[in-house]
């Protein structure tokens, strides 16, 4: 196994870390939306998107390296990182949609209280 293949571990952990941060922020945003704290929810969503952007940037770096002839070793850790990123991106979009729904229902909650 070459040194170049082993050096991808830092990038892989970056993807996992940033994806996990994004996922956590998205769920925090949903909790804030449940309490009708929409400004805080939007801020958390933006922070989560920034984390996703960092993870995606690292993923793109690895893909570009492979396209340029420097392949990455296909390890369970790499698959785990890809799974984290894909899940975080999917959950972020779903939670953004859920927050929009809560916003639409929020005026009705004021009447019910």
């Amino acid at each position: 196994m070459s040194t170049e293949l082993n050096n991808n571990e830092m990038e892989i952990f970056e993807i996992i870390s940033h994806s996990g941060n994004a996922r956590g922020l998205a769920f925090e945003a949903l909790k804030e939306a449940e309490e009708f704290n929409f400004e805080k929810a939007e801020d958390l969503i933006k922070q989560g998107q920034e984390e996703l952007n960092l993870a995606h940037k690292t993923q793109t770096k690895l893909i570009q390296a492979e396209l340029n002839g420097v392949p990455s070793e296909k390890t369970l850790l790499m698959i785990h990182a890809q799974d984290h990123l894909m899940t975080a991106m999917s959950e972020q979009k779903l939670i953004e949609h859920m927050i929009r729904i809560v916003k639409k229902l929020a005026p009705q909650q004021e009447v019910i209280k």
Side-chain angles (χ1 to χ4, degrees):
M1 197 180 314
S2 75
T3 306
E4 286 181 9
L5 294 178
N6 289 332
N7 288 339
N8 287 338
E9 286 182 359
M10 287 304 295
E11 285 89 1
I12 292 168
F13 282 117
E14 283 179 24
I15 294 169
I16 292 168
S17 176
H18 290 302
S19 298
N21 290 344
R23 189 170 179 262
L25 288 162
F27 278 97
E28 282 183 51
L30 183 57
K31 273 180 102 171
E32 291 296 333
E34 286 180 274
E35 299 297 324
F36 307 119
N37 298 327
F38 297 116
E39 190 173 314
K40 179 68 175 170
E42 290 300 321
D43 182 54
L44 289 164
I45 287 292
K46 285 179 187 173
Q47 289 177 47
Q49 188 58 54
E50 290 170 8
E51 290 288 332
L52 283 177
N53 290 344
L54 291 170
H56 190 260
K57 181 179 177 182
T58 302
Q59 178 195 45
T60 301
K61 177 182 167 185
L62 291 172
I63 291 169
Q64 287 175 337
E66 189 162 319
L67 290 173
N68 290 320
V70 183
S72 297
E73 184 179 5
K74 308 314 183 255
T75 64
L76 187 56
L77 191 59
M78 174 68 88
I79 293 166
H80 181 65
Q82 291 299 116
D83 184 48
H84 262 281
L85 180 55
M86 181 186 69
T87 301
M89 291 171 75
S90 178
E91 288 179 349
Q92 172 99 4
K93 290 297 174 195
L94 179 60
I95 288 171
E96 287 174 10
H97 184 74
M98 292 172 73
I99 290 171
R100 286 192 300 273
I101 291 169
V102 172
K103 279 183 179 180
K104 288 180 181 180
L105 298 174
Q108 296 174 14
Q109 291 296 320
E110 296 302 319
V111 174
I112 294 172
K113 289 181 182 178

